[in-house]
Amino acid sequence: MTTKTSTILRRALLYVPSSSPKFLEKSRSLTVDTVSYDLEDSVTPSQKASARTNLLSFLSTPRPPNITELSVRINAVSSGLALSDLSTILKAPNLDALVIPKVNRASDLHFVTDVLRHKLPERHPSTPTSESSPLKIIALIESAEAITNLNEICKASPYLSGLIFAAEDFALDLSLTRTPGLLEFLYARSAIATAARAHDLPSTIDLVCTSFRGPEGLKTLEDECLQGKGLGFNGKQCIHPSQVAVAQRAFAPGEKEVEWAVRIVVGDEKADAGGRGAWTLEGKMIDVPVVGKARATVSRAELCGIDVDAVREKWKEQEPE
């Protein structure tokens, strides 16, 4: 399987309400992997039309300099508003991705895919050009039905580029009470991370942390990020700009993690040159899966702007034991 995981970085996905021109303009100053300009939950029914207009205007002006990916969360296909959202938003020149809420079954993505093929055929993943990169879809998983349909959802669209876990809606669907340990979401989170990996989707974006005020809130956020990373997620939804730096740091490889990975890569290059398939490092066996994970860590570190060359220089004498 050819992995796409190293080519897209969505350590933080920050929601910005599209009904507020003030918030749209304020987002220009942000430094974040992905912003999702929201037409769904943060916009009241009476403001939907004006929010679309605001957003089209904003996404038709020069791109914010430090936002890597500009996405829009449209209204759910089941709401009856998705086509109106798409008809307006797909005219925007600066649009990289669509966030689709309440994806309960494959047909929800089939609908969006058909609209994209009709309105923007030049941005289909099979026909990229130097002027037009493929548009991407990120699907929000919010219900028990969605969890049971994950396999079909992951195969539903060539535009699909990631899954997001919407914990609050999922809790509502199952009548769950959210607890600090988040154990009530363990099955759903593991299912989402596993399905995304099985279908080679580059992004798995974890639940929103509702705490963000003060040092205690940011500590809770960091703990949640590290827990999600341990379950196989590689990004976090954010609802406030103050959460972005914590999430992006947590979902980047740490200093010790990068050092260990570089040592493995350097040692393996020498082991390979000597015809050795497995070797040890500090008493730990190093074989093909371990080396694969190390190479993935090094690639992600480079994508995150970490000076991997300096670490490699430090450990250039590393030998396979």
Side-chain angles (χ1 to χ4, degrees):
M1 183 184 288
T2 302
T3 182
K4 299 176 289 188
T5 323
S6 62
T7 60
I8 295 177
L9 200 63
R10 297 186 181 113
R11 296 166 295 177
L13 182 146
L14 174 68
Y15 293 109
V16 173
S18 296
S19 54
S20 168
K22 174 187 171 185
F23 283 138
L24 290 177
E25 283 305 313
K26 195 173 179 181
S27 75
R28 290 190 183 281
S29 63
L30 296 172
T31 298
V32 58
D33 289 344
T34 299
V35 165
S36 189
Y37 295 104
D38 190 28
L39 292 172
E40 195 211 12
D41 284 350
S42 66
V43 180
T44 62
S46 63
Q47 293 180 308
K48 299 287 188 187
S50 61
R52 290 184 198 114
T53 305
N54 291 343
L55 196 48
L56 175 59
S57 175
F58 178 80
L59 293 173
S60 299
T61 59
R63 291 179 66 102
N66 298 311
I67 300 174
T68 306
E69 182 177 58
L70 301 172
S71 72
V72 172
R73 179 166 71 171
I74 65 170
N75 287 280
V77 172
S78 58
S79 72
L81 298 170
L83 184 58
S84 295
D85 290 344
L86 291 168
S87 296
T88 300
I89 294 307
L90 294 180
K91 298 173 186 174
N94 294 323
L95 177 66
D96 304 313
L98 295 168
V99 175
I100 314 299
K102 297 177 175 63
V103 175
N104 290 325
R105 59 193 74 85
S107 58
D108 294 324
L109 293 186
H110 293 161
F111 174 87
V112 178
T113 298
D114 288 345
V115 174
L116 294 182
R117 281 180 167 143
H118 176 70
K119 292 187 175 292
L120 286 176
E122 70 279 7
R123 296 196 65 185
H124 189 276
S126 66
T127 55
T129 67
S130 56
E131 294 81 29
S132 180
S133 61
L135 198 62
K136 300 176 183 70
I137 287 175
I138 316 170
L140 272 155
I141 304 301
E142 313 195 22
S143 68
E145 182 183 7
I147 294 295
T148 62
N149 289 331
L150 274 172
N151 190 51
E152 294 306 312
I153 287 170
C154 288
K155 295 188 290 187
S157 175
Y159 298 92
L160 188 61
S161 176
L163 302 178
I164 306 173
F165 179 45
E168 300 307 316
D169 286 88
F170 184 80
L172 176 64
D173 189 37
L174 272 73
S175 298
L176 299 174
T177 299
R178 180 171 176 150
T179 63
L182 305 175
L183 281 176
E184 59 279 0
F185 299 128
L186 179 59
Y187 172 72
R189 292 162 86 195
S190 295
I192 288 168
T194 302
R197 180 63 259 159
H199 293 277
D200 203 24
L201 301 179
S203 288
T204 43
I205 302 174
D206 203 7
L207 45 71
V208 165
C209 177
T210 53
S211 302
F212 59 87
R213 301 290 183 193
E216 193 172 317
L218 294 180
K219 178 65 169 65
T220 299
L221 171 64
E222 183 179 31
D223 290 345
E224 280 192 20
C225 288
L226 295 176
Q227 185 193 59
K229 188 176 181 180
L231 290 172
F233 286 83
N234 54 27
K236 185 82 166 170
Q237 295 170 87
C238 298
I239 54 173
H240 192 273
S242 65
Q243 295 181 316
V244 169
V246 174
Q248 296 199 161
R249 183 173 64 250
F251 283 101
E255 183 180 340
K256 290 183 179 177
E257 191 179 357
V258 174
E259 281 214 349
W260 181 252
V262 167
R263 290 177 68 189
I264 290 172
V265 169
V266 171
D268 191 66
E269 289 168 355
K270 294 177 181 177
D272 188 56
R276 293 169 61 184
W279 49 285
T280 61
L281 179 61
E282 292 188 2
K284 296 182 174 65
M285 190 182 80
I286 309 299
D287 56 6
V288 172
V290 175
V291 174
K293 184 176 185 299
R295 292 191 189 282
T297 298
V298 169
S299 295
R300 188 168 177 83
E302 290 171 337
L303 208 57
C304 293
I306 295 168
D307 190 353
V308 172
D309 287 340
V311 182
R312 181 180 269 271
E313 178 63 24
K314 177 182 175 181
W315 291 102
K316 64 183 178 181
E317 303 302 330
Q318 178 67 57
E319 294 288 337
E321 297 167 4

